[in-house]
Amino acid sequence: MKARVFSGVQPSGNLHIGNYLGALKSWVKIQYDYECIYCIVDLHAITVPQEPAELRKKIRETAALFLASGIDPKHSIVMVQSSVPEHAELSWMLTCVTPVGWLQRMTQFKAKSEAQETVGDGLLQYPVLMAADILLYQAAIVPVGDDQSQHLELTRDVAQRFNSLYGETFVVPETHLPTVGARIMGLDDPEAKMSKSAPGSGHAIALLDPPDVIRKKIMRATTDSKPAVEFGALGAGVQNLLGIFQAFSEWSDDQMQSHFDGMRYGDLKKQVAQMVVEKLAPLQQRYREITEEAGYIDGVLAEGAARVEPIARSTVNLVKQRMGLYTQS
Ligand code: ATP
Ligand code: LTN
């Protein structure tokens, strides 16, 4: 039997090239080697305020972008978190074995709670729900971008703690990071991770941005005061642009260096923009085709939920038994 893979994206804004290079691209690559479940994690999105009509739209848009990126729904499972109630059910059970200090230490919790006027309890529980997503399916591998490494460590800790308290129950998952593109930085601020929810029109390249917008954003990207690329002394902005090019092109380090060393920043930017435009064109074309067919996305999501439901139920039943919760005999 193939090992299981689980990963998710929040439908919390416009998916960007960081989401693609950090997560979706790996998902597509490994989908025929494993049994893959790819999830739109809407329960995670509501840990910060969302506009209901917008969220409803973004869930379908995110699903369509998974498929447009190359996820094959005949093979991989694509589903929405809130359509399988066992995610929330298992999350509660895991909350009860998770020390609150583990959650207060999470850097994402610290950063996101600073930005909120009132911090909902969900923001603190966020990583427990993420652990539940993964452990519910006994996933062995979780492909994510670098910013999720700390949450994955917490998932492993929760699984190990549960196993030692109640006996072997959960597979302890491994994190799978891409070698290039695991952390794409903001174009306007190369010290900050590119993020869906960051403000500023020059921050992120959305997967559905038209070519002229992509070119404009890249031409305006922050670099440094040097005129040309100098390998060995790369500033963060230039390094980020080179990283974007390399992740899309899959060129080797040697190829990158011999092609770009000494190139003026203006030319570098033109070439990066061209690469991004070319690589996103087929994805954008597929997106248009997918969304033209009324009801197609809802059908894929309904089938996905139906396919995972028995796995989710059987894990929750096992956990209930292990913990001594009521089960009908
Ligand atoms: P938000 O800003 O709403 O928190 P986000 O842009 O960080 O969203 P997520 O939905 O949290 O996106 O992440 C989905 C996937 O994309 C995760 O696997 C995450 O690690 C990856 N990812 C997010 N941002 C980047 C980035 N800048 N570089 C590489 N991978 C990223
Ligand atoms: N927290 C993740 C999204 C996420 C996820 C998961 C990723 C929720 N559940 C399970 C992998 C596995 C993020 O990218 N912000």
Side-chain angles (χ1 to χ4, degrees), residues 6-8 10 41 44 126 130 133-134 142 144 148:
F6 184 95
S7 196
Q10 302 181 75
V41 291
H44 278 102
Y126 182 113
M130 178 161 163
D133 295 340
I134 298 163
V142 184
V144 283
Q148 294 303 310

Side-chain angles (χ1 to χ4, degrees), residues 7-24 27 41 48 50 108 112 126 143-149 177-178 181-186 192-198 203:
S7 196
V9 172
Q10 302 181 75
S12 53
N14 294 325
L15 261 67
H16 51 73
I17 57 169
N19 299 131
Y20 178 75
L21 297 172
L24 290 168
W27 298 7
V41 291
V48 296
Q50 302 289 341
Q108 184 179 296
K112 289 208 172 180
Y126 182 113
V144 283
D146 174 64
D147 61 311
Q148 294 303 310
S149 298
L177 297 180
R183 193 174 184 79
I184 302 297
M185 309 308 281
K193 177 191 90 95
M194 186 176 284
S195 157
K196 280 190 235 104
S197 46
H203 172 78

Side-chain angles (χ1 to χ4, degrees), residues 240-254:
N240 191 39
L241 291 172
L242 290 168
I244 292 170
F245 186 98
Q246 188 173 19
F248 273 114
S249 66
E250 302 189 350
W251 284 13
S252 68
D253 292 347
D254 286 348

